Amino acid sequence: PEAPSTRDDIRDCSADPPYLPPTATNTTARLAMLRGALRTYGAHAYIVPSTDAHMSEYISARDARLGWLTGFTGSAGTAVVTQDKAALWTDSRYWTQAERELDCNWELQRTTSIESIGMWILKAVPAGGNVSLDPFLFSIDTWNSYSRALHGSGRTLLPLETNLVDKSWGDQRPPPSSSEIYSLPAEFTGSTWQEKVAGIRQRMEQHVRHPTAVLLSGLEETAWLFNLRGDDIPYNPVFYSYTLLTNTTISLFVEGSRLSVAARESLRSGCPGPLCVELQEYRQVSAHLRHYARGNVTVWLGTEYTTYGLYSIIPQEKLLEENYSPVMMAKAVKNAREQEMLRAAHVRDAVAVIQYLLWLEKTVPQGQVDEFSGAQHIDALRWAQEHSRGPSFHSISASG
């Protein structure tokens, strides 16, 4: 029979033998490794999200656990694996893509609701079974939703600090970023990091509960607070980090060797004293928080960016929870300099778009341009503009 056209080239698992398009990934060996890890840890099911430990909208290649395990490369989804079943949940943007990328080891579930995932787990896992996950990859809300879905069913939600996908992925997993973390010049920010820290401490003092510390988990929170930038995640000028800011100390959890000389000097300029940034290892955040939470303290955090893993370290009575941290709220209000810079950036971008439209008018009638070359051209025009660090997402290019 003729090969299916690429437009509808999707898997057919009912055929004998099953038909898989060339875009599908063979996941048999990966699933076998993960299932071995499940047996070792006494888990009957394992939930794999598409997020990272900072609830980032975009993730790095190192955090693409769902993509590695399933072959599915869409930006949103959840997988659940048991000893004899594997299923992927994703939304309607990605159904066709999933049918092209999954092999026949996987069931595709055309919904994203946690109730639907819970129902599937209840059928696939016998009563008395453990459903495990990495608590440092789930938001507080998502964790609570799974907890409710399994409540009273005889299945236990089991947090595992060892990530079983990472264990299976082994040395094939991409290494962490080693690129430089750099300071943003004062002319772009309109306020120094010391002024920003003072502003956040003032909010702590004025809050009715007088929190003793603010915990920052969102990557843009720490980047904004210290006027630092990196490129750990494509299209996002951020770097992996956490911050614990108290009334008198500042702990920045980051791979310190990656800080530029200027960045390091800027952070250490107030040492010793309340404006001295103590650099700690990125991985030490849990241990540090556990130690801090033993004292007579109140930790203020934004639940939108904090994982259940970090949240569960702090005793409930020592928590001050709001949707967004005071840093996220302060970051949302742009100062005059930032507003000026935003406008200037939009003008430069508009120049690139106008150049592009002019180029299209000349080039399209000659039959010389398609969506891909068009996207490459506008990216090049944007890069040519002063101060460009690249686009904020992959150019979406379509015609017709």
Side-chain angles (χ1 to χ4, degrees):
E2 228 174 85
S5 77
T6 49
R7 189 163 290 262
D8 57 4
D9 194 8
I10 59 174
R11 64 184 184 155
D12 182 358
C13 297
S14 61
D16 186 21
Y19 172 73
L20 290 178
T23 46
T25 300
N26 182 343
T27 62
T28 303
R30 298 171 187 188
L31 281 166
M33 285 191 285
L34 180 60
R35 285 171 172 146
L38 281 175
R39 285 191 292 274
T40 304
Y41 284 84
H44 300 92
Y46 194 64
I47 308 175
V48 182
S50 54
T51 52
D52 66 8
H54 303 272
M55 301 293 104
S56 306
E57 183 183 356
Y58 295 83
I59 56 170
S60 69
R62 182 174 171 79
D63 283 315
R65 298 174 178 89
L66 186 75
W68 175 80
L69 181 66
T70 65
F72 169 68
T73 59
S75 69
T78 303
V80 182
V81 176
T82 67
Q83 282 305 336
D84 58 352
K85 290 190 173 74
L88 172 81
W89 284 257
T90 190
D91 65 75
S92 56
R93 291 174 298 170
Y94 292 123
W95 292 343
T96 304
Q97 180 178 337
E99 294 284 14
R100 288 176 178 163
E101 294 182 332
L102 298 175
D103 65 6
C104 290
N105 288 311
W106 293 90
E107 300 168 26
L108 175 61
Q109 305 287 333
R110 295 167 188 262
T111 168
T112 55
S113 81
I114 288 176
E115 291 74 25
S116 148
I117 301 174
M119 298 285 286
W120 188 92
I121 289 171
L122 294 182
K123 283 184 195 152
V125 176
N130 289 324
V131 179
S132 61
L133 39 71
D134 179 344
F136 292 93
L137 290 180
F138 288 82
S139 71
I140 300 159
D141 279 354
T142 306
W143 174 279
N144 290 337
S145 297
Y146 280 114
S147 194
R148 281 193 297 273
L150 299 180
H151 183 71
S153 70
R155 283 86 172 164
T156 308
L157 203 54
L158 177 71
L160 287 180
E161 295 217 1
T162 301
N163 187 291
L164 301 190
V165 175
D166 294 353
K167 210 171 174 52
S168 309
W169 204 347
D171 56 9
Q172 297 300 299
R173 189 180 173 210
S177 175
S178 55
S179 62
E180 189 175 72
I181 298 166
Y182 58 94
S183 287
L184 207 58
E187 73 236 39
F188 291 107
T189 62
S191 50
T192 65
W193 71 258
Q194 290 91 339
E195 288 165 344
K196 291 177 178 179
V197 164
I200 301 304
R201 282 177 169 157
Q202 195 177 352
R203 287 183 181 222
M204 289 161 67
E205 233 168 82
Q206 289 166 349
H207 197 286
V208 64
R209 283 194 55 196
H210 300 302
T212 60
V214 173
L215 174 66
L216 305 180
S217 291
L219 299 182
E220 57 268 49
E221 297 180 294
T222 289
W224 177 85
L225 185 64
F226 296 113
N227 294 334
L228 296 176
R229 298 291 185 269
D231 59 3
D232 292 12
I233 298 178
Y235 310 111
N236 291 263
V238 294
F239 51 92
Y240 287 103
S241 56
Y242 295 95
T243 300
L244 187 69
L245 172 66
T246 78
N247 306 332
T248 55
T249 64
I250 310 166
S251 300
L252 170 58
F253 300 86
V254 69
E255 199 54 61
S257 60
R258 295 178 50 204
L259 288 163
S260 70
V261 174
R264 188 179 283 268
E265 280 174 5
S266 155
L267 296 173
R268 308 288 291 161
S269 59
C271 297
L275 285 173
C276 169
V277 179
E278 292 167 27
L279 298 176
Q280 312 263 7
E281 278 301 309
Y282 173 73
R283 295 179 186 285
Q284 289 302 309
V285 65
S286 296
H288 188 95
L289 195 57
R290 198 168 276 118
H291 178 76
Y292 181 76
R294 287 191 196 126
N296 179 22
V297 298
T298 303
V299 180
W300 193 359
L301 53 80
T303 53
E304 288 288 317
Y305 291 88
T306 308
T307 61
Y308 182 80
L310 279 183
Y311 171 82
S312 62
I313 289 172
I314 307 159
Q316 205 60 44
E317 69 278 5
K318 296 180 180 182
L319 268 171
L320 167 53
E321 299 173 51
E322 290 180 1
N323 284 354
Y324 297 101
S325 76
V327 168
M328 215 44 130
M329 300 306 281
K331 172 182 171 293
V333 181
K334 305 301 179 193
N335 63 40
R337 186 68 183 147
E338 286 171 318
Q339 291 180 41
E340 189 188 324
M341 293 287 100
L342 279 167
R343 289 189 196 97
H346 275 283
V347 169
R348 289 195 300 274
D349 193 65
V351 170
V353 172
I354 291 163
Q355 288 172 330
Y356 176 62
L357 294 174
L358 185 64
W359 176 81
L360 275 185
E361 277 179 28
K362 288 178 180 168
T363 321
V364 170
Q366 299 165 15
Q368 298 288 306
V369 61
D370 58 25
E371 286 98 330
F372 184 66
S373 61
Q376 284 184 306
H377 191 72
I378 193 161
D379 284 352
L381 292 170
R382 284 183 159 135
W383 269 114
Q385 288 295 323
E386 194 185 7
H387 306 306
S388 174
R389 307 290 301 207
S392 63
F393 56 88
H394 201 296
S395 286
I396 299 169
S397 178
S399 70

